[in-house]
Amino acid sequence: MIFLTAGESHGEALTGIINDYPSGIEIDTDFINLELARRQMGFGRGQRMSIEKDEIRVLSGIRKGVSTGSPISFLINNLDWKNQKDKLDSEEDVLNPRPGHADLPGILKYRLNSIREVLERSSARETAVRVAVGAFAKLFLTEFDVFILSYVEQIGKIRIDEDKFRSFVKKSFNPLKHKTDFEFLERIENSLMRCPDEEAADRMMKLIKKTSEEGDSLGGAFRVIASGVIAGLGSFTQWDRRIDAKIAASVMSVPSVKAVSFGSTLSTAFDTGTSFHDEIFYSRKEGFYRNTNNAGGIEGGMTNGEPVDIKAIAKPIPTTKKGLKTVNIKTKESAVSFKERADYCAVPSAAIIAESMLAIELANAVQYKFGMDNIREIKQNYGNYLNYLKNI
Ligand SMILES: Cc1cc2nc3c(=O)[nH]c(=O)nc-3n(C[C@H](O)[C@H](O)[C@H](O)COP(=O)(O)O)c2cc1C
């Protein structure tokens, strides 16, 4: 499937169009709205998120709750539009670009007079549409027992002990099927920091509070994992079919994400080959399997049957009360960067958006290998491949 998003941060609504979504999938709009609500949560978000209550309104492509195969289009209203409309219509040009935001390159590129025209679209508000599309992708992936979760590993310099949680995520991880998996997920979902380590989460929140009171912002790191992913998605045969490259680009497209890595690369890639690579074993019950997943479930641009395991790093939010030195684009005089109501830290939300982007890439890879049009047909092809893998 491919998708487009449209809409400005303080426009009337955000819109999305999805093409090539298979027919025959039951679309649970409550699930999509739940995903939208997950994006809105997290300690460190600004006032805006208490105004918005994102809900999807589907306009096409679904009949009697089931996808038809036609393009799906939908709306998410911006509730803040009514409050801001008059104010923004009469606003003077915004002239002091924020370092770290799209402001300066944006006005240069599009020959605009006010930074407002750039910031309205470059704002991460657009990612609500991506999370809705990701929810459609997740509904598709559920048919193949793929489950995606995420959690926050670091805020500023406060970091969880990653070894403590590494073993939780296995090939068979599925909170819909296993109680311990459900409990682990519940711990994350109930945490305002999306962090399974309560003590670290507490310290992270204190740091965010202190930093925001000082007029500053924070970034951090998060992990996204997909379990139940079959071996053989993506390909080594052409550079642009490598699934790690596609996933990396998609996760990197989440605003503020500046690094994406797979498995334990960041901590173990400088070890020797024999300690880094995941040795191969075989059992009749499991087929081929590994006891480690340093590769993050991808070898040679293809999934290898282990969980797809990603770590991403998000830089601090560019808008700060403190401000940074900048230059007025009209007068060329020194100035302090533009300030607007903003988040102080959005790493938990970035993790949810990254879940969505991973879901979209995996759904695409499944469709590429097993078919585009109808879910029953795709599942049949998938089943045939599973049988082949079992009998190899
Ligand atoms: C969920 C989320 C919320 C964000 N909120 C803000 C914000 O309120 N103010 C801000 O300046 N940047 C915010 N950002 C970051 C900017 O969108 C981002 O830094 C900017 O678009 C420039 O893109 P880049 O950081 O990828 O280079 C947010 C990012 C995410 C993922």
Side-chain angles (χ1 to χ4, degrees):
M1 59 178 168
I2 53 166
F3 72 98
L4 276 177
T5 77
E8 276 91 32
S9 181
H10 299 97
E12 190 169 350
L14 300 160
T15 58
I17 295 182
I18 308 172
N19 210 34
D20 287 332
Y21 191 76
S23 66
I25 299 177
E26 272 186 42
I27 303 302
D28 178 356
T29 39
D30 287 346
F31 171 73
I32 300 172
N33 287 333
L34 197 73
E35 289 290 289
L36 291 172
R38 289 173 79 229
R39 190 199 75 96
Q40 291 193 265
M41 288 188 312
F43 190 82
R45 302 302 302 275
Q47 200 198 348
R48 174 79 189 269
M49 283 306 109
S50 56
I51 297 168
E52 300 297 343
K53 188 180 181 312
D54 292 343
E55 274 182 9
I56 189 169
R57 186 153 80 84
V58 173
L59 303 175
S60 71
I62 295 167
R63 195 169 133 70
K64 296 183 179 173
V66 179
S67 59
T68 63
S70 298
I72 294 171
S73 56
F74 62 87
L75 279 181
I76 300 168
N77 284 323
N78 283 324
L79 301 184
D80 203 22
W81 172 67
K82 285 200 183 98
N83 311 330
Q84 300 291 329
K85 194 180 169 308
D86 293 342
K87 211 171 100 193
L88 291 183
D89 281 351
S90 56
E91 182 190 61
E92 282 182 14
D93 287 349
V94 179
L95 299 171
N96 299 337
R98 295 161 296 177
H101 220 301
D103 303 355
L104 183 59
I107 45 156
L108 296 177
K109 178 177 169 68
Y110 290 100
R111 302 189 182 206
L112 299 168
N113 297 324
S114 174
I115 289 160
R116 174 63 57 194
E117 268 71 76
V118 177
L119 74 88
E120 280 295 316
R121 179 65 186 156
S122 65
S123 154
R125 179 87 191 117
E126 174 265 348
T127 59
V129 182
R130 296 204 236 166
V131 170
V133 178
F136 279 98
K138 284 183 180 183
L139 288 172
F140 170 74
L141 291 172
T142 305
E143 304 275 348
F144 306 92
D145 282 338
V146 173
F147 189 85
I148 299 178
L149 86 151
S150 67
Y151 61 81
V152 170
E153 289 196 320
Q154 183 163 347
I155 296 292
K157 299 219 165 62
I158 297 174
R159 196 172 168 70
I160 63 170
D161 176 1
E162 52 184 284
D163 289 338
K164 220 160 120 185
F165 302 102
R166 189 166 290 286
S167 64
F168 268 93
V169 183
K170 301 181 200 78
K171 215 160 149 159
S172 60
F173 183 89
N174 193 329
L176 305 174
K177 291 185 172 168
H178 312 297
K179 192 165 173 269
T180 48
D181 296 347
F182 181 82
E183 284 165 0
F184 181 62
L185 185 72
E186 206 177 27
R187 191 142 41 115
I188 296 165
E189 297 299 325
N190 287 339
S191 160
L192 281 175
M193 286 313 306
R194 284 201 75 66
C195 178
D197 184 330
E198 249 180 70
E199 189 270 326
D202 216 43
R203 285 193 292 134
M204 288 170 181
M205 287 192 280
K206 283 190 180 120
L207 178 66
I208 294 171
K209 188 165 180 293
K210 181 173 168 284
T211 310
S212 67
E213 282 164 3
E214 289 163 1
D216 221 329
S217 64
L218 286 161
F222 60 86
R223 187 179 174 197
V224 191
I225 308 133
S227 57
V229 181
I230 201 165
L233 301 180
S235 178
F236 61 93
T237 59
Q238 204 60 263
W239 66 271
D240 59 350
R241 303 253 176 100
R242 285 181 166 260
I243 196 162
D244 45 355
K246 284 173 185 272
I247 292 172
S250 276
V251 175
M252 187 69 90
S253 77
V254 177
S256 79
V257 168
K258 292 296 139 199
V260 182
S261 71
F262 289 87
S264 63
T265 311
L266 288 179
S267 48
T268 55
F270 306 112
D271 291 349
T272 59
T274 55
S275 51
F276 179 79
H277 295 299
D278 306 306
E279 291 183 309
I280 302 172
F281 302 94
Y282 179 82
S283 79
R284 277 199 143 223
K285 190 167 162 260
E286 268 206 74
F288 297 103
Y289 70 94
R290 319 295 173 99
N291 286 328
T292 54
N293 189 20
N294 291 331
I298 299 176
E299 291 170 311
M302 292 163 292
T303 53
N304 64 8
E306 299 301 316
V308 173
D309 185 357
I310 300 161
K311 281 170 190 285
I313 300 175
K315 75 185 188 187
I317 299 284
T319 310
T320 59
K321 284 206 183 97
K322 229 182 204 173
L324 279 164
K325 280 186 199 147
T326 189
V327 174
N328 182 300
I329 53 169
K330 215 169 183 175
T331 64
K332 314 293 184 300
E333 279 167 10
S334 288
V336 178
S337 56
F338 170 67
K339 299 175 184 80
E340 187 165 70
R341 187 183 56 187
D343 300 321
Y344 307 106
C345 176
V347 181
S349 308
I352 301 293
I353 305 159
E355 275 187 23
S356 307
M357 298 312 292
L358 175 60
I360 293 163
E361 284 306 334
L362 290 177
N364 271 332
V366 170
Q367 279 191 286
Y368 192 85
K369 183 155 174 58
F370 300 109
M372 302 291 282
D373 301 334
N374 172 264
I375 190 66
R376 282 219 326 258
E377 182 183 56
I378 299 170
K379 281 178 89 167
Q380 254 167 23
N381 295 338
Y382 181 86
N384 288 342
Y385 181 68
L386 261 189
N387 278 339
Y388 148 77
L389 289 181
K390 272 188 195 139
N391 295 316
I392 204 167

